[in-house]
Amino acid sequence: MIERLQTILKNAELSIMDAEDLKSIDDIRVKYLGKSGELTEILKGLNQVSADLRPQVGKVSNEIKNKIAELLDQKKEDLDSKVNQSAIPGWDPTLPGRKSVIGKMHPLMIVQKEIADIFKNLGFDVAEGPDLETDYYNFLALNFPPDHPARDAQDTFYVKNKVLRTHTSPIQVREMEKRKPPFKFIAPGRVYRNEAIDATHHHIFHQVEGFLVDEGIQFIHLKGVLDVFIKKFFGAEVKTRFRPSFFPFTEPSAEMDISCVFCKGQGCRICKQSGWVEMMGCGMIDPVVLKNCGINDEKWTGFAFGMGVERIALFKYGIDDIRLFYQNDIRFLNEF
Ligand code: PHE
């Protein structure tokens, strides 16, 4: 009897293995476990089995019944998942994968990085500061007198009792407070001014600040560093010149011009026939600012400069409207 049961299990296993569709699974289930299936028949006839064998035969029949039911369920699951896969319209596991689209750097960030890389190669470290500043860091510590017109709400955005920084120069103060000279830093960042938007002005723009403090630093060092920077960025043929200017935090102060990159200094519409275009503000850090940051201005001197990233990008790419950088037109952005 036990032998007969084992044979039933063997046969059942084999036919389950061979089954290729859900229909044959059902047929096998009926054949072995159905009302008049082979196993059911044996279980039904248990009362004819001798009393001493009955418990063992009963036990084995039940085990075999469960085993077959389990194998059938397993096979049904396997077949189901195969059916589901092939049922997804257009499913083709042999197709090659699709490449995901990788984002690009914004042209302003490309230019900002290029500027930063040149100064990093000259040994400058990179510093950053908060966009939302206090009056102290944006103005007072930089030697703006309390009644200076730059504080006017017509020029500066106020958020509660703070200001959106109008330039990257507050990063000078924050770093100089923390460090002991000598040091040299560049500080890129976004700045904000209450301006009407036109082709050359925007209320949000970007600057890269630079500052260096050491013993015996003079104006000639500033000229040298900026001249190297311009030649690396725009090309060796580009000339620089410095004109007297004014900033509360530098003394003396200067405006640096470069020979027009469009007409090579010949005179054109962009440079208003002068052959020169304004590039950035700069100067020797005012001793008052050094003192405000706890630096001994008898021992240390330094220079600082600040350039507009948008302006430099306009010259680099020959674009005549700053607003293009902020319209997020994918056709424009894909050009870079
Ligand atoms: N902060 C000045 C501006 O925004 C630029 C500048 C920086 C000038 C450092 C001198 C020294 O115009």
Side-chain angles (χ1 to χ4, degrees):
M1 190 62 140
I2 301 286
E3 248 167 59
R4 210 181 124 203
L5 285 168
Q6 301 289 11
T7 320
I8 293 178
L9 177 59
K10 274 247 157 57
N11 291 338
E13 275 173 352
L14 287 176
S15 39
I16 292 171
M17 238 164 41
D18 289 345
E20 272 173 353
D21 51 31
L22 296 172
K23 167 101 181 36
S24 11
I25 291 292
D26 278 342
D27 292 347
I28 299 168
R29 195 183 297 276
V30 171
K31 177 164 180 226
Y32 292 95
L33 311 177
K35 266 197 195 106
S36 43
E38 282 184 52
L39 260 178
T40 323
E41 291 297 316
I42 291 179
L43 283 165
K44 270 190 213 155
L46 259 188
N47 50 356
Q48 278 144 42
V49 177
S50 64
D52 51 336
L53 277 180
R54 209 176 293 157
Q56 214 210 334
V57 174
K59 185 168 168 262
V60 175
S61 326
N62 272 320
E63 277 169 9
I64 287 180
K65 186 179 151 196
N66 291 340
K67 177 84 192 159
I68 294 177
E70 201 183 292
L71 288 172
L72 283 166
D73 287 348
Q74 182 61 49
K75 182 75 181 194
K76 185 165 185 290
E77 235 172 69
D78 290 353
L79 288 174
D80 268 348
S81 65
K82 265 193 205 133
V83 167
N84 281 343
Q85 275 181 10
S86 55
I88 298 172
W91 168 262
D92 180 354
T94 64
L95 281 177
R98 272 190 210 127
K99 285 217 180 86
S100 49
V101 184
I102 298 170
K104 284 177 136 183
M105 276 220 304
H106 190 279
L108 289 176
M109 291 302 108
I110 296 175
V111 172
Q112 183 175 298
K113 186 174 179 303
E114 262 178 51
I115 297 170
D117 285 346
I118 293 175
F119 283 104
K120 279 198 236 170
N121 283 336
L122 294 173
F124 283 69
D125 288 318
V126 181
E128 277 181 68
D131 292 31
L132 202 53
E133 267 296 4
T134 58
D135 181 275
Y136 178 77
Y137 286 109
N138 198 75
F139 294 123
L140 197 63
L142 288 164
N143 200 30
F144 284 79
D147 56 354
H148 195 281
R151 279 198 183 76
D152 199 316
Q154 280 171 351
D155 298 317
T156 302
F157 288 118
Y158 287 87
V159 181
K160 292 198 179 136
N161 56 350
K162 295 209 166 162
V163 302
L164 281 170
R165 64 179 173 202
T166 57
H167 53 176
T168 41
S169 301
I171 306 175
Q172 280 187 42
V173 181
R174 286 182 176 275
E175 285 306 316
M176 289 200 282
E177 274 181 348
K178 280 192 283 195
R179 319 257 163 198
K180 288 208 180 349
F183 50 69
K184 43 185 186 292
F185 279 98
I186 47 153
R190 190 174 263 199
V191 301
Y192 308 81
R193 284 185 202 172
N194 196 352
E195 309 242 27
I197 297 176
D198 64 27
T200 52
H201 297 87
H202 209 280
H203 49 254
I204 296 173
F205 56 103
H206 297 78
Q207 288 187 334
V208 176
E209 189 86 5
F211 52 99
L212 177 151
V213 177
D214 205 333
E215 271 177 286
I217 295 299
Q218 301 174 19
F219 200 86
I220 189 71
H221 299 118
L222 169 62
K223 286 178 85 172
V225 166
L226 290 184
D227 193 65
V228 165
F229 163 70
I230 290 297
K231 289 187 159 49
K232 286 221 156 117
F233 191 91
F234 285 111
E237 71 289 354
V238 177
K239 293 196 204 79
T240 55
R241 75 173 186 191
F242 294 76
R243 286 177 293 112
S245 184
F246 178 80
F247 298 101
F249 39 93
T250 45
E251 181 57 36
S253 304
E255 207 68 59
M256 189 193 70
D257 297 340
I258 65 169
S259 54
C260 181
V261 290
F262 295 109
C263 60
K264 308 227 179 303
Q266 296 306 300
C268 68
R269 185 178 62 82
I270 305 289
C271 61
K272 303 201 182 77
Q273 310 306 328
S274 72
W276 295 92
V277 289
E278 211 173 287
M279 237 327 89
M280 67 178 94
C282 58
M284 301 305 290
I285 301 175
D286 195 307
V288 172
V289 176
L290 293 175
K291 270 202 204 88
N292 287 343
C293 301
I295 290 173
N296 178 358
D297 63 302
E298 301 283 324
K299 180 166 184 207
W300 307 99
T301 51
F303 63 71
F305 53 86
M307 62 189 98
V309 177
E310 280 75 357
R311 192 172 167 74
I312 293 180
L314 294 181
F315 287 121
K316 177 180 165 83
Y317 294 120
I319 298 164
D320 59 5
D321 195 332
I322 193 175
R323 287 168 291 196
L324 287 164
F325 292 127
Y326 291 98
Q327 284 161 345
N328 283 335
D329 184 329
I330 205 77
R331 291 166 302 181
F332 173 76
L333 297 176
N334 274 337
E335 295 288 313
F336 300 93

